[in-house]
Amino acid sequence: MDPNPGSLATTPRRVVCPGSFDPVTNGHLDVIRRMSLLFDEVIVAVGKNAGKNGLFDYGERTQMIRGVTAHLPNVSVEVFEGLLVDFCVERGAKAIVKGLRAVGDFDYELQMSQMNHRLANVETLFVPTNPLYSFLSSSLIKEVCALGGDVSGLVPEPVLDRLVERLRK
């Protein structure tokens, strides 16, 4: 929102939705979709973590997210490395959105949000996850899929196809 309601210049309301998205789930997409209705721009930030070997490389993750968010014109996808707040400042984003699945998520995310605010005065918004997806995590999806379980309805169809192909060779 423009702090000067009478001014002609408007600054887009921009939010960053960070995560590893390995792979993107319907829970992630629900939060992204909801934020696309509230903000002018949503930047999905795929975080590089040197200590983690993912199932999908960063290019595959961004490609999958772009594919399943193509119907949301105000959503973009980028890979970032380093401090999330630096990424936010570079992009002019004043806020980070985090979906919370359970109370346990809140403890960790609260500490992170306070540090982010201290480092760069970037706000963190906590959004409760849709109860349909409150149990979901990318790790659980991969584990169940690898053991032959049905994860359809928990990830978008194009992601499901790639998951099955990758995990059930």
Side-chain angles (χ1 to χ4, degrees):
M1 292 291 269
D2 188 345
N4 249 334
S7 80
L8 295 175
T10 59
T11 303
R13 293 169 302 139
R14 194 172 289 135
V15 70
V16 172
C17 185
S20 60
F21 304 103
D22 187 34
V24 64
T25 69
N26 285 343
H28 293 133
L29 289 179
D30 179 61
V31 171
I32 293 165
R33 181 194 58 77
R34 289 162 55 198
M35 292 306 101
S36 75
L37 299 173
L38 298 174
F39 288 88
D40 298 320
E41 296 176 29
V42 177
I43 304 168
V44 179
V46 180
K48 275 192 174 182
N49 185 340
K52 265 184 163 177
N53 282 334
L55 178 63
F56 296 103
D57 67 37
Y58 298 107
E60 290 173 305
R61 293 181 214 179
T62 56
Q63 180 185 36
M64 284 189 281
I65 298 166
R66 283 183 182 127
V68 298
T69 60
H71 66 288
L72 302 170
N74 61 334
V75 173
S76 62
V77 185
E78 296 184 47
V79 174
F80 81 95
E81 192 168 16
L83 290 175
L84 177 59
V85 291
D86 291 342
F87 178 84
C88 292
V89 169
E90 290 166 7
R91 302 303 181 284
K94 304 275 189 226
I96 297 164
V97 65
K98 300 295 288 194
L100 298 179
R101 296 171 293 194
V103 174
D105 289 349
F106 182 73
D107 291 334
Y108 174 76
E109 296 297 348
L110 179 62
Q111 289 177 352
M112 290 297 299
S113 73
Q114 291 168 333
M115 179 60 79
N116 289 339
H117 192 269
R118 183 187 180 282
L119 290 172
N121 205 28
V122 173
E123 297 294 339
T124 301
L125 308 173
F126 298 116
V127 177
T129 302
N130 182 322
L132 292 172
Y133 309 119
S134 63
F135 64 94
L136 277 186
S137 72
S138 294
S139 300
L140 182 59
I141 294 282
K142 290 184 286 196
E143 186 177 338
V144 170
C145 185
L147 295 171
D150 180 9
V151 294
S152 60
L154 304 178
V155 294
E157 198 66 37
V159 174
L160 177 64
D161 296 341
R162 291 179 84 161
L163 259 177
V164 169
E165 179 185 322
R166 181 74 45 96
L167 292 172
R168 298 185 192 165
K169 288 183 197 178

